[in-house]
Amino acid sequence: MESIIKDTLVDHLLQNDLIRHSQHGFMMGRSCVTNLLEYMDKVTSALDAGDPYDVIMIDFRRAFDVVPFRRLLQKLQAHGIVGDLLGWFDDWTTGRKQRVVINGQNSEWADVISSVVQGSVIGPVLFLVFINDIDFVIDEEETNVFKYADDSKFGRRIRTSRDTEVLQANLNNVEHWATNNGMSLHPQKTIVMHFGYNNPNHQYTLSGSIISPVQCAKDLGVLINVQCTPGDHVIAITNKANCVLAQLRRSTVSRSCEMVTSLYKMYVRPIVESSVQVWNPWLRRDIDHIEKIQRRATKLVSGIGSKPYDERLKICKLTTLEERRLRGDLLECFKIRNNFTNVEKCDFFLFTRDRHQIHTRGVAEDLLVPQVTRLDIRKHFFSNRK
């Protein structure tokens, strides 16, 4: 029943374009990759133009647990959910109870008066509806908002002192929105990143506390530093992949090609390929550092450890990780260009029709060569990589 209602609700939201385009969580055609690509596109383009860029990453206290039922129902009604369906949601939130069970000991039953009911099928979509209007309190056109469910961040180019004042005002508005909607921000977990060498490093405050600036932060599984280079992320994922590979070596007896290859593809390779379109390295040291993971994995196969790497790849029917990253770029480019992802393709690519106003079939969608860039971080960004 929940699945049927969830699908109908999502169709209603999409057909009427009710969910703001800044939201990438639990939406068809959107993902962590699209969120981070849009985010890093804004940052790298600003830095390449010589403009600093500040990003504030906010953290909600127990975001999914404190959503007030009454407020949620009001927002559902504002999104066009009325009649029997709204009554169903009202009944669905009424009379809910929960308790804790530890080692066979039960706590007393407690009434659930808030949350979107974590673990439910429809809960994530309800949270998107609840947080949807947060964009309206950030009313400055040049302030960019990026959301993935409750993971929210907003940033702005910092050209003058007024830009820092506007960003601080946006943060204050978000704090007021949270208070008015029964939620709150966590000052100790909210952080700011100052991008750009000429950044004034303005101090932003939340609830009277100075927000801690950081040089590197994990965002949707990817480590992003203020230099916008992938080095920190490469080190982190290779260390994790090496640990998992060592565990597989110690815990398995069979060293057949099929066994090693299957375990490697299942447990190790996803670690070094998650959201690869965002952090694809261009320095040879980083490329080689990642490739060593697969070199070690192929050496575990019995009887081929002394053979050259190229031969081991052929025997295991694998390609280099560098080739797979290129494949990942091409797949994402294909999806964006052909509207399989719900992002604006003109934000990433230039087409011949944009420059020459050509509307001839087959020519209008040809990609143009990327423009000359000033910085390597922009030159090697997803939309400019050759």
Side-chain angles (χ1 to χ4, degrees):
M1 183 67 178
E2 274 191 56
S3 298
I4 295 172
I5 292 179
K6 188 263 294 184
D7 293 340
T8 304
L9 176 60
V10 170
D11 289 341
H12 168 75
L13 296 173
L14 293 178
Q15 291 173 6
N16 294 281
D17 198 23
L18 295 175
I19 297 297
R20 303 285 293 179
H21 289 281
S22 61
Q23 180 62 258
H24 293 256
F26 310 112
M27 296 297 295
M28 184 181 299
R30 299 203 149 202
S31 62
C32 296
V33 172
T34 59
N35 178 290
L36 292 173
L37 283 179
E38 287 193 354
Y39 168 40
M40 294 308 297
D41 178 62
K42 296 295 185 183
V43 174
T44 55
S45 61
L47 298 186
D48 194 63
D51 297 327
Y53 197 94
D54 281 355
V55 174
I56 298 177
M57 304 174 66
I58 59 177
D59 182 84
F60 290 102
R61 296 180 189 267
R62 301 170 55 209
F64 284 80
D65 294 330
V66 296
V67 174
F69 284 152
R70 293 297 99 190
R71 188 67 171 166
L72 174 61
L73 293 173
Q74 292 173 2
K75 294 195 175 187
L76 284 171
Q77 187 174 13
H79 283 74
I81 308 302
V82 295
D84 291 340
L85 184 55
L86 182 63
W88 185 90
F89 278 111
D90 190 3
D91 186 68
W92 186 72
T93 59
T94 302
R96 304 197 75 97
K97 294 180 179 293
Q98 66 182 18
R99 67 177 180 178
V100 178
V101 180
I102 299 178
N103 296 328
Q105 300 297 317
N106 304 331
S107 68
E108 297 293 331
W109 287 101
D111 293 328
V112 179
I113 59 174
S114 65
S115 84
V116 290
V117 188
Q118 292 199 53
S120 63
V121 174
I122 206 169
V125 180
L126 294 180
F127 187 81
L128 299 190
V129 172
F130 184 81
I131 203 174
N132 192 38
D133 61 338
I134 195 174
D135 293 47
F136 295 114
V137 302
I138 305 175
D139 55 359
E140 279 288 334
E141 184 178 351
E142 293 189 13
T143 301
N144 309 121
V145 184
F146 314 93
K147 303 200 300 280
Y148 189 92
D150 64 319
D151 290 324
S152 302
K153 52 187 175 284
F154 53 95
R156 183 184 179 92
R157 294 193 185 203
I158 306 299
R159 300 187 183 95
T160 64
S161 59
R162 180 186 178 279
D163 291 311
T164 60
E165 295 172 0
V166 170
L167 200 57
Q168 178 64 64
N170 291 331
L171 178 59
N172 295 338
N173 291 340
V174 171
E175 185 179 16
H176 294 154
W177 177 92
T179 302
N180 293 335
N181 285 272
M183 304 178 72
S184 62
L185 301 181
H186 202 307
Q188 283 71 41
K189 293 185 178 180
T190 297
I191 60 175
V192 60
M193 298 187 71
H194 301 292
F195 294 94
Y197 292 108
N198 55 340
N199 196 301
N201 296 328
H202 179 77
Q203 287 186 339
Y204 300 94
T205 61
L206 177 63
S207 300
S209 302
I210 297 176
I211 300 177
S212 302
V214 297
Q215 297 295 308
C216 183
K218 179 173 284 191
D219 189 2
L220 300 179
V222 177
L223 279 175
I224 296 176
N225 57 35
V226 293
Q227 292 81 30
C228 295
T229 56
D232 291 325
H233 185 70
V234 169
I235 292 174
I237 61 172
T238 51
N239 288 341
K240 183 177 180 180
N242 275 321
C243 291
V244 175
L245 194 60
Q247 291 175 353
L248 293 178
R249 186 183 65 244
R250 292 193 300 266
S251 59
T252 57
V253 176
S254 173
R255 292 290 186 271
S256 67
C257 181
E258 293 77 9
M259 176 66 73
V260 172
T261 303
S262 297
L263 292 175
Y264 166 73
K265 289 180 178 179
M266 185 180 300
Y267 295 108
V268 181
R269 196 167 66 180
I271 297 174
V272 296
E273 289 187 342
S274 177
S275 302
V276 68
Q277 297 86 351
V278 181
W279 57 268
N280 197 334
W282 60 87
L283 295 179
R284 177 49 55 182
R285 67 185 182 192
D286 291 333
I287 296 172
D288 292 341
H289 201 50
I290 298 174
E291 200 68 39
K292 286 180 181 179
I293 302 296
Q294 190 161 269
R295 289 178 180 271
R296 287 186 59 199
T298 54
K299 283 186 177 181
L300 295 179
V301 179
S302 299
I304 67 171
S306 59
K307 294 180 181 293
Y309 181 50
D310 292 342
E311 291 187 23
R312 299 201 302 271
L313 289 178
K314 291 180 181 179
I315 295 172
C316 297
K317 299 180 181 180
L318 297 172
T319 60
T320 65
L321 294 177
E322 188 173 4
E323 292 174 333
R324 285 189 58 82
R325 288 194 294 273
L326 174 60
R327 174 180 176 270
D329 280 351
L330 294 175
L331 287 173
E332 192 66 25
C333 179
F334 175 83
K335 290 191 290 185
I336 292 176
R337 181 178 174 180
N338 292 278
N339 301 316
F340 291 113
T341 57
N342 188 18
V343 297
E344 184 55 57
K345 59 184 177 182
C346 293
D347 290 344
F348 292 99
F349 306 116
L350 291 175
F351 299 92
T352 51
R353 63 178 179 184
D354 300 324
R355 176 175 293 181
H356 305 295
Q357 298 298 318
I358 298 176
H359 297 283
T360 306
R361 182 179 179 183
V363 177
E365 289 298 319
D366 286 347
L367 290 175
L368 289 175
V369 176
Q371 297 178 347
V372 177
T373 59
R374 186 173 64 91
L375 301 177
D376 282 347
I377 58 174
R378 186 61 182 173
K379 176 183 177 181
H380 296 285
F381 181 67
F382 167 74
S383 57
N384 291 332
R385 285 197 288 267
K386 298 181 180 178

